[in-house]
Structures are given as structure tokens and as C-alpha cells.
Amino acid sequence: MSMKNTALPRIEVLRAQIRRGDTTHKALVSRALAGAELPAARHVFTRLHADAALAAARHADAALKAGVQLPPLAGLPLSIKDLYDVAGETTLAGSVACRDEPPAAADAPVVARLRQQGAALVGKTNMTEFAFSGVGINPHHGTPHNAADAQVARIPGGSSSGAAVSVALGLAVAGLGSDTGGSIRIPAALNGLVGFKNTQARVPRVGAFELSRTLDTVCAMARCVDDCLLVDAAIADAPLAVRRRPAAGLRLAVPQTLVLDGLDTTVAHAFDRALQRLSRAGVLVESIPLTELAEIGRLNAPGGFSSVEAFAVHRQRLATRRAEFDPRVAARIALGEPVSAADYIGLHDRRRDWIARVETRLQGFDALLCPTVPMVAPPIAALAASDDAFFRANGLLLRNTFAINYLDGCAFSLPCQAPDELPVGLMLSSVRGDDARLAAVALAVEAVLEGEGA
């Protein structure tokens, strides 16, 4: 059922190959641009930046030949989600309702920082319209097919759909995306990648098309934890001070409320295997109630942050161009229209109280542990054909990941499936500002899973 992983080697391995002369930056970028035109990559990119990417690659090759020590991302192909401003281009955010709007006057700060690192930005990737869904279906620009199954066209996950498939197909070493309710971790989990949702305040959101100013997070997915950390260091303009540690002695909490409900068979088996491997490696895995997770639906009503804040962003567009919206996206945005200022302030007050209570509950643990999403990627056709099936799947895909956005926390999704299974994600999460310590935990857990052939 599952395809052989076509992702590029880890950045460390690629850099070694380039230093040995086994390949060049230009060859890697040329291969990525050629791959972007193949049928498997249909709908992955909304725009290619071939000339600029090749220029960055040639510059890196010349600098390396001259003995210059290159930054880690220099000359390597990266993709950019189509909600980040690129100077001279209209930022479409997966829609057609914005196509007549003015072009961006400048690169978003995160795009500028990647350019300063010398990264070869191969193009903008497709996404759920306005980033408002965890499924990844886009009726305007087409839906990228999940790279893990050659026989069945499965959803890529969203909203960073093209970002994930670009990495899974080996067209980029990393995909810059965003995460408001799981939009990095969901597609990473469904495509067998690592996704890192940092604490929101770590990376500037200027120049990123807004969905929810309260929840939006600028982050990326890649082949492994180390590669995610390299991209995070570039876009945050400061590396995390990660102190590596062994897995033995880690104390991980598995919540028994909500996040384990309704797991499909593949996810349940993969999660159980992961727990067994971690326990054998000396990790202390403890079940905790964390009943606060069951409160989120009530506390986030009416409308929820995403609907209320997205309506503020799109009010004028909805009034004049609603027919051009994905109807499913327009319906979710419209839920924010009747919410009063008093109700909106109440959302913030309840969230602050909830965060404080959950942070207290998690003291003494190195991370929370649960499946990233409760299912493997379902077929596109079934969800495209039925609103009921679409919204049911969307709710399940977002259920576990959204809790960490609501917490203003940080999280990694790591692949934990067996070689003959569709991808399954294992999510490690912690509280806001704990990114460096969580990264050390993720590196240790990743080593255990890979060491035992997960």
C-alpha cells in the first residue's frame, strides 16, 4: 500500500555529499524543479521560482569552491507556503478571491531570513484556502495527492498541504508552512515527516496571511528533527539552545481524555508499538487524566478564535466576492460574524485561565505524548463529495493538534509507522517557551523509534 519514501536525505547527509563532490547545489535544485513538473507533483506548487532558486544554488556552489563556509541551508531547495509575502507577487493564500489585490511590497521577514541564509526557494506551495482546514482539499488550485500511496489518491492534510508533499516527494529539504490548529503537524503526520510547531511568539508573523492572530504560528516541516531545528533557527533568527539527552529517564504523560478516542486500527497499533519501544528504552510513560482537554470545545465557543478573527480579516471580501470562496471555508469564517466584542473578550479570558491550569498539571513531565491525528489519510474522493464526511474528518484531524495551539504550546510530530503501513504521527508537546527542552526530548524519542525500525 505505502510507497517508498522519496524524500531527500537529511541536510547533514546532503551537505556531506556536496562537500565530497558527489552532487552540487545546482544539481539538487535542478532535480527539484524538474520533479515539480512531474505528474506526482501535480497541484503541489502554485508558483515556481526557478531562476531565483537556481541563482541561489549557483552562488552556493561558487562560494563552496572558493572555500567559504556556508550556512546550513545555503543552496538547498526549500518550499514556501502560499500565504507568505514574496516581493512583487500577490499573496493568494490558496484562494482566487485575492488575485486582483496588490502585490506584496516586500518579502515576509521569514522569507527574507531564508534568503539571507542562501536557501534556494523553489516556489510557493498549495494550501487549504486561507489556511482554514486540516484536510488539504483545494477546489481552486487542485489538491496535492499524499505521497505515501501510489494506488489511492489520499488527502495530504492541511492546511500546509503542498508544503508536506513537496518534502515527501524530495522536491525540498523543508517546507515553510504555518500552524493555527495543526496545519504543520497534520500534513507531516499523514505524509511521514517531522513537523515542528514552535511557541507562537518565537517567529514573526508579519507578512503571513492571517487566519487567527491569536493562534497562527510560523513554522516548518522536514525529514527529521535536526532539519526542523535548522529551519527554525533561520526563521527565528536565533537557534534554540538544545542540550541533548538520552531517552532513559524521560517522563512522558499520555492524556486519557479525548486524544485517544476513536483511533483507527493502524494508528492504535503504531501508537502502542511506540509506547512499548520507549518503555524498553527507559522512558517513563505515565497515564494522566488531563480532563481539561474536554473543556476546549465549550471554552472556545461561540465561533472560536479562528472564525472570529478570520471574519475580521475577510469581512469585506465576503461581502463582495463570497462566490469565489471555497463554500466550506466561507461557512466556517461566517461563524465569526455574530460574535460580539464581549464574547470575544470572554474567549481570551477563558483561555488564559485554562492555560494556567493545564501548565500546572504538566509540571514535572518532559512532554505530553499522544497520536498526532487519530486516523491515516483518507481518500480525497470521499471527503470532496460529502460535506458531512469532510467536516467529520476535519474535526478529527484537528482534535489533538488544536489543543496545543489553544495552550500556546510547542509540539513535534514524529513518524512512528511500520514500513508497510500508511504514515502515522506521534506528537510530543509541551508548554509555551519550552521549545529547546522539547526539542531535546524529540531528538531522543526519534532516535529510539529509528533505532528499532519504526
Side-chain angles (χ1 to χ4, degrees):
M1 179 180 288
S2 60
M3 293 173 62
K4 184 176 184 298
N5 194 323
T6 55
L8 289 167
R10 298 176 179 212
I11 290 174
E12 180 184 12
V13 174
L14 272 180
R15 299 229 68 91
Q17 292 175 350
I18 293 167
R19 287 193 300 270
R20 289 196 306 266
D22 297 341
T23 188
T24 64
H25 299 95
K26 182 183 176 184
L28 287 171
V29 172
S30 297
R31 192 176 308 135
L33 291 167
E37 304 285 1
L38 295 177
R42 189 173 177 224
H43 308 314
V44 170
F45 289 93
T46 55
R47 183 192 292 262
L48 290 174
H49 297 140
D51 291 343
L54 287 168
R58 286 193 293 266
H59 183 271
D61 285 331
L64 185 66
K65 188 175 181 181
V68 176
Q69 186 171 352
L70 297 175
L73 302 179
L76 298 182
L78 274 76
S79 66
I80 304 294
K81 186 176 182 178
D82 189 23
L83 55 61
Y84 291 102
D85 285 350
V86 169
E89 298 178 4
T90 297
T91 304
L92 298 177
S95 184
V96 294
C98 302
R99 57 191 165 189
D100 298 328
E101 296 180 10
D107 287 344
V110 289
V111 174
R113 288 173 179 180
L114 290 172
R115 290 198 202 279
Q116 289 161 7
Q117 284 272 313
L121 307 181
V122 294
K124 284 190 167 180
T125 51
N126 200 358
M127 56 182 284
T128 305
E129 183 181 59
F130 299 131
F132 211 168
S133 160
V135 175
I137 290 174
N138 187 302
H140 311 300
H141 304 293
T143 300
H145 290 187
N146 192 303
D149 194 334
Q151 284 75 46
V152 179
R154 297 180 181 273
I155 65 163
S159 63
S160 307
S161 54
V165 181
S166 74
V167 178
L169 290 177
L171 309 179
V173 296
L176 180 67
S178 64
D179 194 309
T180 303
S183 288
I184 279 288
R185 290 160 290 155
I186 294 166
L190 297 184
N191 285 271
L193 304 171
V194 175
F196 175 33
K197 181 251 181 270
N198 45 43
T199 300
Q200 186 197 44
R202 179 161 168 74
V203 181
R205 304 189 309 280
V206 177
F209 202 110
E210 186 176 312
L211 170 59
S212 167
R213 64 185 58 190
T214 298
L215 304 171
D216 289 348
T217 309
V218 174
C219 47
M221 66 187 83
R223 172 74 177 79
C224 63
V225 174
D226 273 324
D227 289 2
C228 283
L229 295 178
L230 288 175
V231 179
D232 174 78
I235 62 178
D237 201 27
L240 290 168
V242 180
R243 298 179 61 185
R244 296 184 182 242
R245 57 191 294 189
L250 290 176
R251 189 176 177 219
L252 305 182
V254 179
Q256 300 302 295
T257 301
L258 199 70
V259 295
L260 302 181
D261 294 349
L263 305 183
D264 75 20
T265 302
T266 302
V267 173
H269 288 169
F271 185 62
D272 286 344
R273 281 198 310 268
L275 294 184
Q276 292 168 18
R277 289 170 179 169
L278 291 169
S279 295
R280 287 198 297 269
V283 176
L284 306 174
V285 179
E286 301 181 30
S287 297
I288 64 170
L290 202 60
T291 54
E292 289 84 358
L293 293 174
E295 301 174 20
I296 294 175
R298 173 177 56 82
L299 298 179
N300 199 38
F305 287 111
S306 293
S307 291
V308 174
E309 294 171 346
F311 181 75
V313 170
H314 294 288
R315 179 171 53 179
Q316 193 58 41
R317 285 190 197 93
L318 280 174
T320 59
R321 310 189 77 153
R322 181 163 180 161
E324 298 176 55
F325 279 57
D326 176 346
R328 291 166 173 170
V329 171
R332 294 186 75 195
I333 294 173
L335 293 174
E337 181 173 10
V339 179
S340 69
D343 287 338
Y344 178 65
I345 291 170
L347 285 174
H348 283 283
D349 290 343
R350 293 193 297 272
R351 182 186 184 224
R352 272 193 299 273
D353 172 72
W354 185 89
I355 289 173
R357 288 187 284 120
V358 173
E359 287 180 342
T360 299
R361 291 267 191 264
L362 299 184
Q363 287 178 8
F365 291 103
D366 291 302
L368 281 174
L369 181 66
C370 71
T372 309
V373 293
M375 66 178 81
V376 296
I380 293 171
L383 305 191
S386 164
D387 282 355
D388 287 344
F390 175 90
F391 284 113
R392 184 166 56 250
N394 188 58
L396 285 170
L397 289 167
L398 289 161
R399 184 191 69 193
N400 293 3
T401 54
F402 179 76
I404 309 308
N405 297 82
Y406 196 72
L407 182 63
D408 191 20
C410 50
F412 284 87
S413 179
L414 309 179
C416 67
Q417 71 279 355
D420 60 343
E421 292 174 339
L422 288 167
V424 176
L426 181 74
M427 187 166 67
L428 293 159
S429 313
S430 191
V431 298
R432 55 190 166 188
D434 202 28
D435 303 60
R437 197 166 63 88
L438 182 67
V441 175
L443 286 163
V445 170
E446 180 183 56
V448 171
L449 297 178
E450 292 185 343
E452 296 202 32

